[in-house]
């Protein structure tokens, strides 16, 4: 079964600074990868997904992520964050050769300070 | 367009009382349906998923159960709640197994 590691439980950053949220997954022949965002007391919303093709994936709200197969990573980046980006971010992986059901990381709390 | 409704938004229940959380999806047919529980700092734990009416798969043995009485309705139940059942419960769906999940707004359950 796949596993996902989000190394940082909390990432504080100042407004307009760049940010990277790290995600590593266990090795597999092929994977589908996702990043979701969760605002307080709400469900999760899809930010971006990688199914195949270009390793650089662009999502909503100016976020992007890069699939790195050799390092089994799918880090999320944004060049300039806003206060409104303060939220919980979850990385998820699913195995297209298996059950497809995604496994989620424990989440990273992004805190943007003014 | 498709929407997912989950209720209630918050719930406070005493230990030993029953539970029923409901989730419905509109604007699609034969969705895959999921129940997750979220505990602080522990990510999302898959509880149940369903690929069709009456088809329920359980991921974690516990005192919770799920049912799918209609195509777009998914219910999470318990006969007797435990303190450890407190948490944030999320319902989700996708049109097919390799699609991203769409989540409801969740139910905050506090067992006292």
């Amino acid at each position: 079964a796949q596993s996902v590691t989000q190394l940082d439980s909390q990432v504080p950053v100042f407004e307009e600074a760049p940010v990277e949220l790290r995600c590593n997954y266990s090795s597999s022949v092929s994977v589908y990868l996702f990043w979701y965002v969760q605002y307080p007391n709400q469900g999760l919303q899809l930010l971006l997904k990688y199914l195949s093709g270009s390793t650089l994936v662009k999502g909503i709200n100016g976020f992007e992520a890069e699939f790195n197969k050799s390092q089994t990573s799918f880090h999320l980046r944004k060049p300039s964050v806003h206060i409104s980006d303060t939220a919980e971010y979850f990385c998820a992986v699913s195995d297209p050769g298996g059950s497809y059901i995604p496994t989620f990381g424990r989440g990273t709390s992004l805190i943007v300070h003014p | 367009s498709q929407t997912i409704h989950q209720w209630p938004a918050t719930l406070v229940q005493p230990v030993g009382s029953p539970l029923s959380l409901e989730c419905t999806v509109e604007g699609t047919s034969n969705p895959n349906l999921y129940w997750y529980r979220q505990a602080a700092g522990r990510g999302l734990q898959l509880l149940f998923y369903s690929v069709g009416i009456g088809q329920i798969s359980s991921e974690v043995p516990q005192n919770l159960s799920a049912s799918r009485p209609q195509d777009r309705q998914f219910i999470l139940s318990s006969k007797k709640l435990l303190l450890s059942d407190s948490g944030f419960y999320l319902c989700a769906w996708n049109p097919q197994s390799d699609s991203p999940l769409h989540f409801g707004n969740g139910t905050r359950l506090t067992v006292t």
Side-chain angles (χ1 to χ4, degrees), chain A residues 43-64:
Chain A
L44 281 68
Q45 304 171 32
L46 181 69
L47 271 179
L48 48 81
K49 62 184 178 185
Y50 171 80
L51 304 182
S52 65
S54 173
T55 58
L56 183 62
V57 180
K58 294 191 182 297
I60 62 171
N61 300 342
F63 284 94
E64 64 180 30

Side-chain angles (χ1 to χ4, degrees), chain B residues 22-40:
Chain B
E22 191 161 341
C23 172
T24 60
V25 180
E26 296 178 358
T28 188
S29 60
N30 198 31
N32 297 324
L33 295 169
Y34 306 80
W35 278 112
Y36 284 89
R37 178 167 60 199
Q38 184 179 15

Side-chain angles (χ1 to χ4, degrees), chain B residues 7-20:
Chain B
W7 68 93
T10 60
L11 190 61
V12 180
Q13 292 284 96
V15 169
S17 63
L19 173 73
S20 181

Side-chain angles (χ1 to χ4, degrees), chain A residues 32 34 36 46 94 99-102 104, chain B residues 2-4 23 25 28-36 49-52 68 71-72 74 91-104:
Chain A
Y32 291 162
F34 310 87
Y36 292 83
L46 181 69
S94 67
S99 72
Y100 286 99
I101 296 174
F104 286 83
Chain B
Q2 302 93 353
T3 56
I4 179 170
C23 172
V25 180
T28 188
S29 60
N30 198 31
N32 297 324
L33 295 169
Y34 306 80
W35 278 112
Y36 284 89
Y49 68 95
S50 171
V51 298
R68 185 170 178 173
D71 181 42
R72 292 169 291 169
F74 205 25
C91 181
W93 74 277
N94 60 4
Q96 54 197 44
S97 297
D98 58 352
S99 301
L101 296 178
H102 303 272
F103 286 84

Side-chain angles (χ1 to χ4, degrees), chain A:
Chain A
Q2 287 283 354
S3 65
V4 179
T5 302
Q6 292 183 246
L7 291 169
D8 305 303
S9 59
Q10 204 172 79
V11 173
V13 64
F14 286 106
E15 194 174 18
E16 298 184 6
V19 70
E20 179 180 82
L21 305 183
R22 296 180 292 170
C23 173
N24 288 89
Y25 61 92
S26 57
S27 178
S28 178
V29 176
S30 62
V31 291
Y32 291 162
L33 294 156
F34 310 87
W35 275 100
Y36 292 83
V37 60
Q38 183 182 34
Y39 299 103
N41 295 312
Q42 293 186 24
L44 281 68
Q45 304 171 32
L46 181 69
L47 271 179
L48 48 81
K49 62 184 178 185
Y50 171 80
L51 304 182
S52 65
S54 173
T55 58
L56 183 62
V57 180
K58 294 191 182 297
I60 62 171
N61 300 342
F63 284 94
E64 64 180 30
E66 186 159 18
F67 169 57
N68 188 317
K69 187 174 182 178
S70 62
Q71 297 185 9
T72 61
S73 68
F74 191 55
H75 301 332
L76 181 70
R77 302 186 183 99
K78 186 170 182 177
S80 176
V81 294
H82 302 133
I83 294 288
S84 59
D85 292 323
T86 296
E88 193 83 13
Y89 292 80
F90 291 92
C91 181
V93 61
S94 67
D95 181 358
S99 72
Y100 286 99
I101 296 174
T103 299
F104 286 83
R106 293 191 171 194
T108 297
S109 178
L110 175 63
I111 303 170
V112 182
H113 297 288

